[in-house]
Amino acid sequence: MLFNSYVFIFAFLPITFLVYFVLNHLRLTVAGKTFLVFASLFFYGWWSVVYVPVILSSIGVNFLIGISLSKEQKFVWMSRKTVLILGIVFNIGLLAYFKYTNFFLENINALLGTEIPLLAIILPLGISFFTFTQIAFLVDAYKNEVKEYSLVHYMLFVTYFPHLLAGPILHHKEMMPQFANRYNWVICWRNVAMGLFLFVIGLFKKVVIADSFAIWANAGFDSAATLNFFEAWATSLSYTFQLYFDFSGYVDMAIGISLMFNIRLPINFNSPYKARDIQDFWRRWHITLSRFLRDYIYIPLGGNRVGNYRNYINLFAVFLIGGLWHGAAWTFVVWGALHGGAIVIHRIWKDLGLKMNYLLAWVITFNFINITWVFFRAKEWEDAVKVLRSMFQLHDIVLPAFLMSKLDLAGQFGICFGNIFGDIKGGVDTLIWLFAAFVITLFMKNSMEMVRAFSVKLSTLLFVVMLFVVSFFHIQKYSEFIYFQF
């Protein structure tokens, strides 16, 4: 089920909200949590019921392993550390089977010239997110940081529908105290108002802004056989902003929905395109994924407690893993490697004590991010090459037709005149949208800053109503969030 669908907005969300708080009002708190678990599973199974047994099996195995880790004694004949390792191997194995089996087979066939048939594997939605969430739970249990074990509570922690499909990646210890807090069992109308405020902002970001940029990005990457210089840059920037507003829109909607239930999810997005270096970018983009990679991969590898050379290897390895986590394709590996290389260069730059002009630092950082998103988006290697080659070839430039009479000599230099965005179905509106996106992402307050200044007043109500009405008429029959595929 999509957050940006009529059935979710007008049926699932209000019914779930009302039943949950009615059960809590009747002091049936366990029933309320159990209902929320079943509602979350229904939300998850709406796509296809075949996904539900996978997530339930994962929950069952991880819960049993977590219980065994909570005891200061050997489990059967194994030490706690061995149990933890087996638990992590189980989770990685489950993720690897569903997400990377065919990628592995394709590469074996290409390398050895074999014809091993690919498997008919259906990738369960959100598997990367609920797998990482449960790995974090096992490690926290091993460290004795998990304070209580209840199957209903654990199922709620994993399946809680606002975060289930695309994060944020949660810690057991930051969620369960909130569900156990009796003050959260009663409707808080201020939280409901702030939640609706965030939800509508997120909805507008997704269905109005992100889906508009998707038209030009999809045409440039998937449809156009060739691109001129300006089309290539419009294609890459359109995807850069599509991804920004799509993902931040999901995060806003998830945090807003959860706030209606008096549960505060961690901030997962903080104006990343304002970053002046690659480290700052990853402190702002997908914050909970960066936290997971830091706490459960980078620090166990030695973090910054090792020598510089080893530290650079660790940093590169973490980002390479992060790239592969996003998708089973060499384009994601290249994307992760480029970011790993950039973070190593940044660390060396800092170690040398070098500084850079503020504006220049931003220009370099933003353009690096924009260029590397090309690999992130491309379905095939050829698509990435097509866009990147056209972005840096100056011999294929098209200028607006109205300039032909004023720049007639330009034709001698191979410059053509016409619709500069014709092959990506764009026009003047493309430039307007790109300019507006720069203004919004660089100079306006982000949604978290807006909600911190939130107050219930007429101007706020009119703002929310206006965004919702516009969004209502832009809701499409089917428009997935980009991060669902990960």
Side-chain angles (χ1 to χ4, degrees):
M1 191 180 299
L2 293 166
F3 289 167
N4 53 313
S5 64
Y6 296 119
V7 67
F8 178 86
I9 296 171
F10 296 110
F12 179 85
L13 181 58
I15 291 172
T16 303
F17 177 86
L18 288 173
V19 174
Y20 174 72
F21 280 109
V22 166
L23 290 172
N24 283 330
H25 179 73
L26 297 174
R27 300 180 185 274
L28 301 172
T29 56
V30 175
K33 294 172 186 176
T34 304
F35 167 76
L36 204 52
V37 170
F38 280 104
S40 297
L41 290 173
F42 176 82
F43 171 84
Y44 186 72
W46 180 268
W47 304 89
S48 175
V49 293
V50 299
Y51 298 142
V52 176
V54 176
I55 191 172
L56 288 177
S57 300
S58 176
I59 288 171
V61 172
N62 279 283
F63 181 70
L64 291 174
I65 294 174
I67 290 177
S68 70
L69 289 172
S70 70
K71 301 173 182 178
E72 292 291 345
Q73 58 185 14
K74 290 186 176 181
F75 178 65
V76 189
W77 50 270
M78 294 179 287
S79 66
R80 293 176 72 245
K81 187 172 184 179
T82 302
V83 174
L84 172 64
I85 292 172
L86 289 176
I88 293 174
V89 168
F90 166 78
N91 282 286
I92 294 176
L94 187 70
L95 182 61
Y97 171 74
F98 282 103
K99 197 166 184 176
Y100 304 105
T101 298
N102 283 336
F103 175 64
F104 175 76
L105 293 177
E106 286 172 353
N107 284 277
I108 289 293
N109 288 339
L111 186 64
L112 302 179
T114 56
E115 296 183 359
I116 303 173
L118 302 183
L119 303 181
I121 297 175
I122 300 175
L123 179 66
L125 289 172
I127 188 170
S128 297
F129 290 94
F130 68 71
T131 297
F132 270 24
T133 294
Q134 295 190 99
I135 289 176
F137 164 75
L138 295 183
V139 175
D140 290 346
Y142 177 77
K143 295 178 179 178
N144 293 315
E145 294 178 358
V146 177
K147 302 303 180 183
E148 59 89 20
Y149 292 86
S150 160
L151 181 58
V152 172
H153 289 176
Y154 182 71
M155 292 182 70
L156 180 57
F157 160 66
V158 177
T159 65
Y160 184 48
F161 72 91
H163 86 98
L164 178 58
L165 296 180
I169 298 170
L170 304 176
H171 284 285
H172 190 270
K173 59 187 176 185
E174 69 189 359
M175 292 300 296
M176 298 324 300
Q178 295 190 72
F179 285 112
N181 187 341
R182 65 179 58 196
Y183 295 106
N184 289 343
W185 302 345
V186 180
I187 295 176
C188 174
W189 292 111
R190 177 172 174 78
N191 282 348
V192 172
M194 287 194 297
L196 286 172
F197 176 74
L198 269 177
F199 179 84
V200 171
I201 289 175
L203 181 66
F204 183 85
K205 284 181 179 180
K206 166 59 181 171
V207 302
V208 178
I209 304 179
D211 287 354
S212 294
F213 279 117
I215 296 171
W216 305 310
N218 293 342
F221 277 100
D222 303 332
S223 302
T226 60
L227 299 169
N228 64 48
F229 177 80
F230 292 115
E231 287 172 339
W233 277 96
T235 295
S236 66
L237 288 171
S238 291
Y239 182 70
T240 290
F241 288 120
Q242 179 199 356
L243 184 58
Y244 180 99
F245 288 105
D246 191 282
F247 187 36
S248 66
Y250 179 91
V251 170
D252 289 347
M253 296 170 82
I255 293 177
I257 294 165
S258 190
L259 196 56
M260 296 180 205
F261 291 84
N262 300 323
I263 305 299
R264 294 183 179 272
L265 297 180
I267 294 174
N268 205 29
F269 207 86
N270 183 24
S271 301
Y273 290 169
K274 293 178 181 179
R276 290 176 293 157
D277 58 64
I278 195 64
Q279 184 180 46
D280 188 28
F281 172 77
W282 280 105
R283 287 173 174 166
R284 295 168 174 266
W285 178 277
H286 210 332
I287 297 171
T288 57
L289 174 62
S290 298
R291 178 181 68 174
F292 179 93
L293 294 174
R294 180 198 66 202
D295 293 347
Y296 300 103
I297 299 179
Y298 177 65
I299 291 177
L301 286 174
N304 56 10
R305 303 185 306 276
V306 295
N308 285 344
Y309 181 71
R310 173 73 180 277
N311 182 232
Y312 300 151
I313 293 176
N314 291 345
L315 286 168
F316 185 81
V318 166
F319 280 89
L320 199 62
I321 292 170
L324 193 57
W325 174 85
H326 278 89
W330 285 109
T331 49
F332 288 110
V333 175
V334 170
W335 174 79
L338 288 171
H339 277 260
I343 204 76
V344 168
I345 293 171
H346 170 72
R347 182 60 60 88
I348 294 173
W349 184 273
K350 287 183 61 179
D351 291 343
L352 293 174
L354 300 175
K355 303 290 183 180
M356 185 179 292
N357 172 268
Y358 181 98
L359 181 59
L360 179 61
W362 176 83
V363 170
I364 292 173
T365 302
F366 179 82
N367 278 283
F368 172 80
I369 292 165
N370 177 58
I371 290 168
T372 54
W373 280 144
V374 172
F375 293 100
F376 193 87
R377 167 59 176 83
K379 294 179 179 178
E380 303 292 341
W381 185 260
E382 292 75 14
D383 297 330
V385 172
K386 174 186 67 176
V387 175
L388 290 171
R389 180 188 292 126
S390 299
M391 288 173 67
F392 296 100
Q393 285 184 344
L394 298 178
H395 66 269
D396 190 10
I397 295 178
V398 177
L399 296 178
F402 71 87
L403 293 176
M404 183 181 296
S405 60
K406 300 177 181 179
L407 300 173
D408 55 343
L409 292 178
Q412 300 177 15
F413 299 95
I415 296 176
C416 301
F417 295 88
N419 185 348
I420 60 175
F421 299 127
D423 290 332
I424 62 170
K425 305 176 183 178
V428 176
D429 58 331
T430 308
L431 289 175
I432 296 173
W433 277 93
L434 288 173
F435 176 78
F438 272 111
V439 171
I440 293 170
T441 56
L442 298 180
F443 302 108
M444 294 182 65
K445 290 182 178 180
N446 63 42
S447 52
M448 293 300 106
E449 292 169 329
M450 293 172 67
V451 81
R452 280 195 289 269
F454 175 84
S455 61
V456 180
K457 52 187 178 181
L458 181 60
S459 59
T460 304
L461 177 62
L462 292 176
F463 175 72
V464 171
V465 170
M466 179 188 69
L467 292 188
F468 182 75
V469 170
V470 174
S471 301
F472 179 86
F473 291 105
H474 279 78
I475 293 176
Q476 301 177 26
K477 184 176 181 181
Y478 188 79
S479 176
E480 271 189 5
F481 290 91
I482 293 174
Y483 260 72
F484 279 12
Q485 64 186 286
F486 308 136

